[in-house]
Amino acid sequence: MATSLATKSVGPPDNSFTWYLQTGGVALATGFQVALGDGSETFLWLDNAGIGVRSAGGFVAKVQSSATKTRTLNFGDGDGKLRPEMVATLSADLANSTTTAAAVTDLALSLEANAVYEFELLLIVKSAATSTSPRWTLNGPTAQTSYVSYEILGLGASNAQYTAWGTAVANAVNAPGVDTPYRIRVTGVCKTTGTLPASTVNLNFFSEVGASAVTLLAGSEMRFRKLN
């Protein structure tokens, strides 16, 4: 329970300095491990970008905010493990009217070595003709991958399974309408080897038919969650 320091002396006899929190003289811009007045370090980390917890190994897990208005985040009651996601989002529409694969530079993420990931892609697409399907390849670090398996839904072929990076997806059935946006969902898992991946996981996008445009719409996302 907190005690008022209004009548306490810093040194003897009260020695209230032991109750203080201090920076150790380090600037907020640099960041510091918060310490008690007697020099004992806590695991609390502060800097001018966020707040965090320092592990025994010396690494800081930090929380930062990009909020543009006041937000409230509530944690449900229960034990569990928080697994942050790496997220890549397409910032602008990308159209392709050729059968030549084009890199979707926004949708690329770097993986760690010796890690298992669960991943999901949410692709929002449209076609200039109902008979033209979007196609793509999901590329990754083949030499540094122990296994990869993913399923594609929304192409007219439910439960289509792929077990290798860089495989062009099969042609879909007709689009639901001309220039009508619709959803394609990809879910999967992968495991990397003990060697740092030499390339990102990334997407290439192209049309089933030359001279017939398909478009990947802004807001499409790639999300990877590390499980181990």
Side-chain angles (χ1 to χ4, degrees), residues 180-227:
T180 301
Y182 62 100
R183 172 187 67 90
I184 296 172
R185 186 168 176 258
V186 182
T187 61
V189 293
C190 68
K191 184 181 187 300
T192 55
T193 67
T195 302
L196 185 68
S199 63
T200 62
V201 175
N202 58 82
L203 195 76
N204 284 352
F205 184 73
F206 56 104
S207 177
E208 174 192 3
V209 181
S212 185
V214 291
T215 304
L216 184 63
L217 300 182
S220 296
E221 281 194 341
M222 173 187 292
R223 299 189 288 266
F224 272 71
R225 181 187 300 112
K226 186 180 175 184
L227 300 183

Side-chain angles (χ1 to χ4, degrees), residues 21-24 26 32-45 54:
L21 296 180
Q22 56 143 320
T23 69
V26 181
F32 54 85
Q33 195 170 345
V34 176
L36 303 180
D38 64 359
S40 301
E41 291 184 323
T42 72
F43 288 101
L44 177 64
W45 176 272
R54 185 178 184 274

Side-chain angles (χ1 to χ4, degrees), residues 26-214:
V26 181
L28 189 62
T30 302
F32 54 85
Q33 195 170 345
V34 176
L36 303 180
D38 64 359
S40 301
E41 291 184 323
T42 72
F43 288 101
L44 177 64
W45 176 272
L46 290 178
D47 61 32
N48 60 0
I51 184 172
V53 178
R54 185 178 184 274
S55 71
F59 301 101
V60 176
K62 189 166 61 174
V63 178
Q64 298 179 191
S65 176
S66 56
T68 56
K69 60 187 293 186
T70 300
R71 306 289 186 182
T72 300
L73 179 64
N74 292 315
F75 289 92
D77 181 23
D79 296 326
K81 186 173 184 179
L82 180 64
R83 290 190 171 103
E85 291 182 333
M86 297 189 297
V87 180
T89 305
L90 184 64
S91 59
D93 292 356
L94 176 66
N96 191 345
S97 58
T98 75
T99 56
T100 302
V104 185
T105 55
D106 280 351
L107 298 186
L109 291 170
S110 298
L111 307 184
E112 297 180 10
N114 197 31
V116 178
Y117 290 91
E118 179 183 52
F119 62 87
E120 180 177 14
L121 279 71
L122 177 61
L123 306 178
I124 309 167
V125 297
K126 66 178 182 179
S127 303
T130 57
S131 58
T132 301
S133 300
R135 300 192 69 194
W136 72 88
T137 60
L138 182 61
N139 310 301
T142 299
Q144 295 82 37
T145 298
S146 296
Y147 60 78
V148 59
S149 174
Y150 53 99
E151 177 183 22
I152 301 174
L153 301 175
L155 287 174
S158 181
N159 298 320
Q161 297 282 339
Y162 294 81
T163 56
W165 300 121
T167 304
V169 300
N171 292 336
V173 297
N174 290 350
V178 173
D179 287 330
T180 301
Y182 62 100
R183 172 187 67 90
I184 296 172
R185 186 168 176 258
V186 182
T187 61
V189 293
C190 68
K191 184 181 187 300
T192 55
T193 67
T195 302
L196 185 68
S199 63
T200 62
V201 175
N202 58 82
L203 195 76
N204 284 352
F205 184 73
F206 56 104
S207 177
E208 174 192 3
V209 181
S212 185
V214 291

